[in-house]
Amino acid sequence: HNELRAKVQPAASNMRYMTWDAALARTARAWANKCIFEHNVYLSQKHQCHPNFTSIGENIWVGSHQAFYVADAIKSWYNEVRFYTFAVQKCTKVCGHYIQVVWDNSYKIGCAVTLCREVAGIRNAVNFVLNWVLYLLNMYLLSFLICQLY
């Protein structure tokens, strides 16, 4: 994550360093264990997913267990950069995952990987859930990110 964040162009003047958060990882693990390819419905409810943070985002990835590498999943999100125009801060297609990876105020992260019998029609699938927190998240930013994910 931090390696890709350092490559953002134009360079961020205040890019925060992402650090691991065990509570976010536990939330990711609990959701990944459900073996469904959907966003956690409890993330929008204050203190349902973390004891301290009230606004948590999530990126999800599912695929064959033979093809799964954490770095490749994160890189696939980063590659949405081709759909993002920095000058107008708009996406031509889905690019919310990219925005999460490089957003300068993201600073906490926790993730989990679960092997599932089947997810989204894929047998022996890996369900990868990554939860993240933004520093001083505001409702405009939250709604922007949510709109870009769908």
Side-chain angles (χ1 to χ4, degrees):
H1 237 84
N2 286 312
E3 195 173 297
L4 293 172
R5 290 163 63 81
K7 294 179 181 181
V8 69
Q9 290 297 319
S13 61
N14 57 344
M15 183 73 73
R16 294 179 61 121
Y17 189 81
M18 296 289 270
T19 58
W20 184 258
D21 186 276
L24 288 173
R26 282 191 299 275
T27 296
R29 167 72 62 206
W31 194 253
N33 284 342
K34 293 184 180 298
C35 292
I36 56 173
F37 188 55
E38 295 176 10
H39 287 282
N40 186 334
V41 297
Y42 302 105
L43 291 180
S44 62
Q45 298 176 16
K46 289 185 178 185
H47 300 294
Q48 288 296 308
C49 297
H50 197 281
N52 301 321
F53 303 121
T54 57
S55 298
I56 299 171
E58 178 179 69
N59 283 2
I60 56 178
W61 184 96
V62 68
S64 165
H65 74 281
Q66 292 104 337
F68 176 72
Y69 294 94
V70 170
D72 289 346
I74 295 170
K75 182 75 171 163
S76 74
W77 296 329
Y78 180 85
N79 285 340
E80 291 176 4
V81 64
R82 66 188 181 274
F83 305 126
Y84 183 69
T85 305
F86 179 79
V88 293
Q89 297 188 10
K90 296 216 181 216
C91 301
T92 57
K93 292 186 180 178
V94 172
C95 74
H97 306 100
Y98 164 74
I99 292 168
Q100 178 280 311
V101 172
V102 301
W103 200 267
D104 60 349
N105 281 335
S106 295
Y107 77 111
K108 289 289 184 184
I109 195 168
C111 60
V113 177
T114 299
L115 181 61
C116 302
R117 179 171 281 187
E118 184 175 320
V119 180
I122 302 169
R123 290 181 185 230
N124 298 317
V126 166
N127 196 21
F128 177 49
V129 176
L130 183 143
N131 289 333
W132 47 272
V133 172
L134 291 174
Y135 179 69
L136 296 177
L137 181 67
N138 63 50
M139 290 314 294
Y140 173 77
L141 173 59
L142 180 60
S143 58
F144 174 77
L145 288 172
I146 290 170
C147 289
Q148 299 308 314
L149 289 172
Y150 299 101

